[in-house]
Amino acid sequence: MARLRGVEMENPIVNEDRKLLEKGGTVTAGELGALATDATLTVSDPAPPRKKFLRSLDRVFTKHVLRFLAELGGEFIGTFVLTLIATTVGASDILLNTEVGLWNVAFVTGMGVGISIYSTAYFSNSHLNPAVTLAFAVVRWRVFSWKKILPYMAVQLFAAFLGGVVLYAAYWDSIQLYEEENGIVRGQNNSIVTAAIFGAYFPNPSYALYAENHYDVVSPVKALAVEAWATGILVFMIFTFSDPNNSSVGRVDRKNKSAVPVLIGLTVAVLISLYAPLTQAGLNPAKVLGPRILAAMLGWGSIAIPGPRKGFWVYIIGPLIGGPIGAALYDWVVARMAKRNFKQQSE
């Protein structure tokens, strides 16, 4: 006995046999030969399950790849804009004294953070900071995979580097004029003043203008603690503002969080005002390290990396420690307590 499926017969003489075959019936070899004599058989070849699976897998894979590329594109654009604004406002303050007062620099930088988030949040996660990326991977690993950490950080660092390139292209002549007028030679100790355009230093280079032993003001350990503490506060507030259950920021029912970028930007501005006098408030490893790599290539050399007292690592390790701690404190402690209290009140 033989079983046929997917057989189409064009001769009406064999309609009854066709119905039998379509229902999964069986025919003998002799009957099959008769059918072949009396009718034209067209055997369709439906795609085997393996091919269907591969096609489905290809569609899913392509969808996920495009989505991931969009996320990386958002990280690139946002980090580039953030770094460009933050470094440029610092350059204009140091070189031209246009931003008189710390708050002016802090506010413009904070608004730059908000603008960067607004411009990319609708198609990416808008971390724009390796410390934030690591915090999401550690604390909210169910929604942000560890596999994304390195690509995110690499894109953020490259974008920050290019932000420094654009900054230097706009201000290179002003930098040279400032160096000539103040007797600054790149690569020497006094060049830290212009190197600070490209990244944060501890203590704030302005201490060198009036304190003979300015390096005693902030030790590497203290700088590490300040950067970890400030970044922890920043990430704690990011998780607070973005929590869907936080109705004080936006309507919970519609998940409307349009005020979040502004609030994050204001948080950055406040933190810069508080801690920039000590460490210049790096808060973002990519924003600090990317432009400093460029500065090392442009003649600042060891003043840029590893920096005085080889302290560039403070702006990498500090935020990467503080960020996840701030995120964990909110998600694992504050948010759970708030949820428990809300549940008790509703009962």
Side-chain angles (χ1 to χ4, degrees), residues 248-282:
S248 64
V249 177
R251 295 180 59 180
V252 178
D253 57 343
R254 295 185 181 179
K255 305 291 190 297
N256 184 5
K257 298 290 184 179
S258 59
V260 168
V262 173
L263 295 174
I264 294 174
L266 288 175
T267 302
V268 171
V270 170
L271 291 172
I272 291 174
S273 298
L274 295 176
Y275 299 111
L278 299 177
T279 65
Q280 293 194 294

Side-chain angles (χ1 to χ4, degrees), residues 90-104:
S92 65
D93 181 57
I94 293 172
L95 302 175
L96 306 175
N97 200 30
T98 57
E99 304 292 337
V100 181
L102 176 58
W103 174 248
N104 290 348

Side-chain angles (χ1 to χ4, degrees), residues 104-151:
N104 290 348
V105 175
F107 182 77
V108 173
T109 302
M111 290 301 96
V113 172
I115 291 171
S116 302
I117 297 173
Y118 272 124
S119 65
T120 58
Y122 72 100
F123 65 93
S124 73
N125 290 314
S126 294
H127 293 175
L128 317 183
N129 184 337
V132 177
T133 296
L134 183 61
F136 271 94
V138 171
V139 177
R140 295 184 181 175
W141 52 271
R142 288 186 178 87
V143 296
F144 186 81
S145 172
W146 277 79
K147 296 178 182 179
K148 296 182 178 181
I149 292 179
L150 290 181

Side-chain angles (χ1 to χ4, degrees), residues 235-248:
V235 177
F236 178 90
M237 299 311 297
I238 290 174
F239 275 57
T240 300
F241 297 144
S242 60
D243 188 345
N245 296 315
N246 187 353
S247 59
S248 64

Side-chain angles (χ1 to χ4, degrees), residues 46-91:
R50 185 169 179 270
K51 287 186 177 180
K52 288 183 178 180
F53 172 75
L54 291 176
R55 282 202 294 264
S56 300
L57 183 64
D58 181 63
R59 285 195 294 268
V60 172
F61 179 76
T62 302
K63 181 180 178 180
H64 282 282
V65 167
L66 292 177
R67 182 181 299 171
F68 185 55
L69 291 177
E71 292 178 16
L72 294 181
E75 292 299 316
F76 176 84
I77 295 171
T79 308
F80 173 81
V81 173
L82 182 157
T83 303
L84 180 62
I85 294 175
T87 54
T88 303
V89 69

Side-chain angles (χ1 to χ4, degrees), residues 195-196 198-202 205 227 279-283 287-288 292 312 315:
F198 297 92
Y201 288 85
F202 68 92
E227 285 295 310
T279 65
Q280 293 194 294
L283 310 179
K287 178 178 71 69
V288 174
R292 279 181 67 161
F312 80 100
Y315 297 98

